[in-house]
Amino acid sequence: MIHTRGLRRTFTTRHATVEAVKGVDLDIAEGEIFGFLGPNGAGKTTTLRMLSTLLPPTGGTATVAGADLLREPAKVRLHIGYVSQVGSSFAELTGRMELEMQGRIYGMSKAHARSRAAELLTSLEIDDAADRATKTYSGGQKRRLDVGIGLMHRPQLLFLDEPTTGLDPQSRARMWEEVRKLRRAGTTVFLTTHYLEEADALCDRVAIIDHGRIVSEGTPDELKRQVAGDVIVIGVDGAAAQVLQLLQAQSFVREANLEDGSLRLCVDRGETAMPQILRLFDNAGIELGSLSLHRPSLDDVFLQQTGRSLRDAA
Amino acid sequence: MKVLRDTWLVFERYLTVLLRNPAWMIIGVLQPVLYLVLFAPLLKSLASTRGFPAGGAYNVFVPGLLIQLGLFGASGVGFGLIAELRAGVIERFRVTPVSRFALLLGRAMRDILTLLVQSLVLLLLSIAFGLQPTVPGVIIMLALVALIGLGMSSLAYTAALALKNEDSYAPLVFTLSLPLLLLSGVLLPLSLAPDWLQHVAQANPLSYAVTAARDLFNGHGGDPDVAKGLAVMSGIALVGVLVGARSFNRAIA
């Protein structure tokens, strides 16, 4: 759905030349939810604006929704939807009017636009507000309308620029639900976010961008495994030293330590290591006090790749 | 044709915006009405002054008011565009296949319609005050207002797209429209002006529109000045649309 090679963008101001995006290679498959993660100013939005035809790239090549981004942006536009972080509706018009106008732009008949708008208003649960001016909408309603406007013509690919920034937790959860619905419908989604939980919860694959370059890419699990694997903490009542020895002998255990009376194991895949540990304890007749799995977060990945915490950088 | 269909869609959108908040339309016509009621009566006693054109105060003053309405009405339209730029609406359109030219033309059509309705209101009121127009005069007059609307609103949108915020757009509009107004002979005929002022006014395209408008309302519809005024305003409209289309194409590439 999206293929880029060496995609670049430089901005020239009076005083300096800023390389906002320094060569990005991306391959995003149909139906994928792809997350672009990074702090503010990392190049996320610039990349998204290039891919959605808003900003001409300075260099590199890109195919978006089957068309060449540089040579046929008009063709790209037919198949993509775009939801900006600024908003997209006019304060004085109603949500329904905005949706219908959007559909008509893509060549829908009046009747078709009307029925599609009604369908989206229902599925996005803004029925109640449909005929009110958008200036009366809550933040969550407005953002859902923006998504509806982007989806009006049933694009194959939807760009979401920080879809939940500035939303309260409830509206955010509601927005996540919308993105998951899109996945079920087979729409490819390219989203940017600086929330780790969001990328983790929604995305099939994530790329971490920092200073205009992709520093890491993979499924959220792959990225987290890259850091150090998972950590399993085992509480044992006695014979801790003996248990430690037993565990250190196992091939799936990378490292095992005794800390404050509990055992701390580093393993590659926590979800397969846990049953192995249970079996091991059973066979050896050792009483197990507690067992817990700790997985590294995407923040740990970011920290490892860039030397900064994403929360500090954002 | 896609351009025509899109122009209609854009026109419909902004007409809806206008109809949902018609206050602007009323405010726009209020200023010339105030001139008509509170200023034009002063001219009655001036009408016999040497140099004052024949035809009576209202037949001389009202044509100028209509041109002023066109100038002021059209030059303010950029505010709406700036509000939309800020709300992300323009960016949203940029990602769609909508015709860029239609984004300009549809808006300008709405602006022209607004001006025509306002002009009719003003004309009806003026007739009550003593204006005696002819039907062909009114029709050509409205065409003149439409041309001013097309040219001026296109230029206003160009300025709004370039400046992107009200803080620089508002001073520009006020700074430019006042000399344009004073040098067009709208308030008092330029025939009263000293020679140097008349020469400066010749550089103002609007002065040709005002001269043409006065001829139209004073039974000189066949005067070459009418054709000249229409030609100059057509030129302004053409330049405005070309410049505007270019800036919409660029800003909304």
Side-chain angles (χ1 to χ4, degrees), chain A residues 54 82 88 92 98 102, chain B residues 5 13 20 91-92 94:
Chain A
L54 283 170
Y82 166 76
S88 61
E92 306 295 336
E98 286 290 30
Q102 186 78 0
Chain B
R5 185 180 183 274
R13 173 187 179 85
R20 284 175 67 84
E91 192 161 281
R92 159 183 148 206
R94 287 181 61 190

Side-chain angles (χ1 to χ4, degrees), chain A residues 49 52-55 77-78 80-82 84 86-90 92-94 97-98 101-102 104-110 132-133 149, chain B residues 2 5-6 8-10 12-14 16-17 20-21 80 83-89 91-98 100 103 252-253:
Chain A
R49 289 174 66 86
S52 57
T53 76
L54 283 170
L55 195 65
R77 285 187 190 120
L78 291 176
I80 63 167
Y82 166 76
S84 94
V86 184
S88 61
S89 57
F90 193 55
E92 306 295 336
L93 294 172
T94 70
M97 287 172 178
E98 286 290 30
M101 159 94 185
Q102 186 78 0
R104 302 270 287 139
I105 284 178
Y106 287 93
M108 288 183 191
S109 69
K110 244 182 191 165
R132 289 206 319 255
I149 290 172
Chain B
K2 183 169 162 49
R5 185 180 183 274
D6 284 0
W8 176 254
L9 286 176
V10 174
E12 221 176 22
R13 173 187 179 85
Y14 295 107
T16 310
V17 170
R20 284 175 67 84
N21 199 349
E84 276 199 314
L85 274 172
R86 190 163 299 133
V89 179
E91 192 161 281
R92 159 183 148 206
F93 286 146
R94 287 181 61 190
V95 185
T96 74
V98 70
R100 276 46 179 162
L103 285 181
I252 311 178

